[in-house]
Amino acid sequence: MSLVFFGKDPNTDGDECPTVWVDDRTADLVFQGWRADEATEKECLMVGHIPETEAVVRIPARMVPLIRKACDAAERTELR
């Protein structure tokens, strides 16, 4: 696996911030984000269970341009 870095939250203050990558082998999107608060997680649970192997994370809207670029790259990778 090789992750291609697309960017960090543009309002970052260092290394500990939301980040987006694409796995260049599988075209999966990989996100680092803030853990969702209890109220957000409770609302998500209305749709279904959150397994131990999954997490609800929050990515700031200001990262949409980075996520679009990552999605475009993932789509190109998947087409190969």
Side-chain angles (χ1 to χ4, degrees):
M1 169 178 74
S2 181
L3 297 180
V4 179
F5 171 76
F6 275 85
K8 292 183 179 242
D9 178 350
N11 289 1
T12 183
D13 61 356
D15 291 334
E16 299 173 5
C17 56
T19 307
V20 62
W21 300 266
V22 173
D23 182 324
D24 70 354
R25 209 181 34 133
T26 64
D28 289 345
L29 297 170
V30 178
F31 294 104
Q32 173 184 328
W34 299 304
R35 281 199 176 100
D37 62 17
E38 190 175 321
T40 301
E41 203 166 281
K42 184 176 178 182
E43 192 166 335
C44 292
L45 287 168
M46 295 167 100
V47 175
H49 175 70
I50 302 167
E52 289 272 331
T53 57
E54 297 180 12
V56 176
V57 298
R58 190 175 284 275
I59 304 294
R62 61 185 167 261
M63 290 184 67
V64 167
L66 295 171
I67 294 167
R68 272 196 195 103
K69 285 173 63 175
C71 288
D72 290 344
E75 192 170 55
R76 285 191 301 275
T77 299
E78 197 171 50
L79 296 175
R80 284 193 256 157

